[in-house]
Amino acid sequence: MLQLAVILPTYNERGNIALMVERLDKALTGLNWEAIFVDDNSPDGTADEARRIGRDDPRVRVIERIGRRGLASAAIEGMCATAAPVVSVMDADHQHDPVLLPKMYEAVVGGEYDVAYASRFAEGASTEAWGRPDRVKASGLANRIARRVTGVELSDPMSGFFMLRADILRADAHRLSGVGFKILLDILATVDAPLRVKEFPMNFAARATGESKLDRTVVFEFLVGLYDKWLGRIIPTRFALFGTVGAMGVAVQFGVLWLVRSGLLGAPFVYGQWSSNTAFNIANTIAAVVAMSFNFVLNNELTYQDKRLRGVLPLLRGWAKFAATCSLGLLTNVGAAAVLRTMGFHDAISVIIGIVLGSVWNFALSSKFVWGKY
Ligand code: GDD
Ligand code: MN
C-alpha cells in the first residue's frame, strides 16, 4: 500500500533530478513511496528528465503545468494529486536532506503530530554549508515578521521541507493562498484546528546545481501576503497598493514641480516667456502628467503585476486609458470636495474625502478598463 508521497516542485532543475531520486530511494527503504515532480514547463527540460526516469521507475511521477509559475501552488497541486495518506514537500536542489524523511514520517503517521518539518534555525540546526549569510539574515527577518503577523510560533515557518497527513491538507486546500514560496506558513496560518508540530533541526546544504528562483517578485509577494492576512479584510490588498502608489505619486508631483520652479528642469522654457501664474500652471501640469505616468508604471509593475501590460503598444494604450480614467477621477475628486464644502464641511475634510472618492473611482475604473480582462 502506498504510504508516502514526496512532492518536489521544480523549475529548471534538470541536473538535480536523477540524483534526487537515488537519494530518495536510499533514504526511504522499507517505505512504500512515490515522488511527484511538479514542474512549471521548465525551459531546461526538467519534466522530460523526470519522465525519462519515471518510465523505468513508476514511483516517479510528473505533473507538468503550462503557463503557470509558483512554488507554493505547485506544492499544493502535488499534494492534492496523490493517493498517499501522508504527503511531504521538499526542494529538488539537494538543499534538503531526504535522510530526515523517515523520522518525519514516524512523527505524523500514527497521529502523534499533525505536521513534521525541518528547521534551519532550531537548536542543533545549521546553515553553515549554505554559504549565504545574506540569505540567513533575510530568512531570519522574514521569519520574525511572519511570526508576528500570523502568530505561528516556529523557529522557521518559512521552511520548504515538511510533512503532514494528506486529509488535513485537502480539507483546507481551497483556502490556501498558493502565492510565492511560503507554503508551510500558509498551511499553519490557514488551518483552523491547532496543529501539533514536530520540529527537526536540519543542516541546510548548498544548492547542488542550478540557480535559486527566490527573486524580488517572491519577496514582494511575501510582503503583500502578510498584509493580506493582517489588514486585507478591512482595506483590500489591491486597493491598498493602488493607494500607496497614489500617495507616492503625490510626492513625485511635488518633486517635479519643485525641480521646475527651482530652475533645475526646463525652467527657461517654462518661465522665460509667461506670467508667473501661467508658468506655475504649466509647471504643475507637467508635474501632474509625470506623476500620473509614474503611477501608471508602478501600478503596472506592482499593483497589477499579475496582469502586467507588456510591449510598446499595449503600454501606450494602457497609459492613454489610465490618463482618461485619472482625468475623470480628478473631476470626482475636485467635484466632491466642492459639494462637501458648500454643505458646510471643513476644507481639509472636504479635500480628503475628495481624494478618497477620486482614488476609489480611479481604482474601480482602471482595474476594469486598463488592467481588466474582457
Ligand atoms: N514548480 C515550480 N514553480 N517550482 C519552483 C518554482 C516555481 O515557480 N520556484 C522554485 N521552485 C522549486 C525549485 O526548483 C526548487 O526545487 C524549490 O522550489 C526551491 O526553490 P529555490 O529556488 O531553490 O529556493 P531557495 O533555495 O532560494 O529558497 C529556500 O528557502 C526558502 C525560504 O528562505 C527554499 O528552501 C524554499 O523552500 C524556502 O521557502
Ligand atoms: Mn534552493
Side-chain angles (χ1 to χ4, degrees), residues 35-341:
I36 304 183
F37 289 93
V38 188
D39 185 66
D40 289 349
N41 195 22
S42 302
D44 77 344
T46 304
D48 282 336
E49 167 72 352
R51 277 189 288 261
R52 181 185 70 77
I53 297 167
R55 271 192 288 277
D56 293 330
D57 185 345
R59 296 173 304 181
V60 175
R61 295 176 50 201
V62 180
I63 296 176
E64 188 171 5
R65 309 195 302 171
I66 312 289
R68 312 256 306 277
R69 272 303 300 277
L71 168 52
S73 64
I76 295 168
E77 285 188 35
M79 288 189 281
C80 290
T82 179
V86 178
V87 291
S88 169
V89 173
M90 66 186 289
D91 296 353
D93 60 355
H94 299 280
Q95 294 197 269
H96 293 150
D97 192 342
V99 160
L100 280 177
L101 285 168
K103 290 182 219 157
M104 292 162 89
Y105 183 76
E106 280 312 306
V108 297
V109 69
E112 193 186 348
Y113 292 94
D114 300 306
V115 179
Y117 90 105
S119 166
R120 295 166 295 178
F121 302 108
E123 184 80 27
S126 157
T127 50
E128 199 84 16
W130 191 4
R132 290 290 302 272
D134 53 328
R135 283 286 305 269
V136 172
K137 245 193 217 149
S139 290
L141 179 65
N143 276 330
R144 277 199 297 283
I145 306 174
R147 280 196 290 267
R148 175 69 60 82
V149 173
T150 62
V152 168
E153 281 301 330
L154 302 183
S155 66
D156 192 7
M158 300 304 294
S159 171
F161 190 9
F162 61 91
M163 193 185 290
L164 76 170
R165 287 198 313 281
D167 55 340
I168 300 179
L169 185 276
R170 276 197 290 265
D172 280 302
H174 61 285
R175 293 170 59 207
L176 298 173
S177 92
V179 172
F181 271 42
K182 47 161 195 354
I183 171 70
L184 174 62
L185 175 70
D186 206 2
I187 293 172
L188 295 168
T190 301
V191 175
D192 292 323
L195 297 175
R196 289 155 305 160
V197 181
K198 170 81 174 165
E199 192 164 78
F200 291 90
M202 71 165 150
N203 293 329
F204 196 65
R207 164 179 267 282
T209 67
E211 281 164 18
S212 166
K213 282 92 208 176
L214 194 148
D215 55 12
R216 264 196 318 225
T217 311
V218 173
V219 173
F220 177 72
E221 284 170 347
F222 169 67
L223 296 174
V224 167
L226 287 177
Y227 171 88
D228 202 46
K229 270 258 172 323
W230 179 45
L231 273 184
R233 243 168 268 181
I234 303 166
I235 305 174
T237 307
R238 218 189 281 268
F239 183 66
L241 280 168
F242 193 85
T244 308
V245 168
M248 289 162 80
V250 173
V252 168
Q253 179 160 351
F254 270 106
V256 172
L257 184 59
W258 178 81
L259 280 178
V260 175
R261 299 196 85 186
S262 66
L264 291 168
L265 203 81
F269 167 70
V270 173
Y271 285 92
Q273 41 215 306
W274 282 289
S275 73
S276 118
N277 265 343
T278 317
F280 172 82
N281 291 340
I282 293 175
N284 198 25
T285 306
I286 295 173
V289 172
V290 171
M292 194 203 65
S293 308
F294 166 87
N295 281 6
F296 171 73
V297 170
L298 230 62
N299 277 322
N300 193 46
E301 293 294 315
L302 299 179
T303 316
Y304 295 99
Q305 64 161 317
D306 51 336
K307 305 175 179 175
R308 190 178 295 164
L309 305 172
R310 292 167 206 270
V312 179
L313 224 76
L315 276 171
L316 279 177
R317 218 179 293 136
W319 181 86
K321 286 196 232 168
F322 188 70
T325 303
C326 288
S327 6
L328 285 177
L330 192 68
L331 281 183
T332 312
N333 180 338
V334 177
V339 172
L340 287 167
R341 200 167 167 279

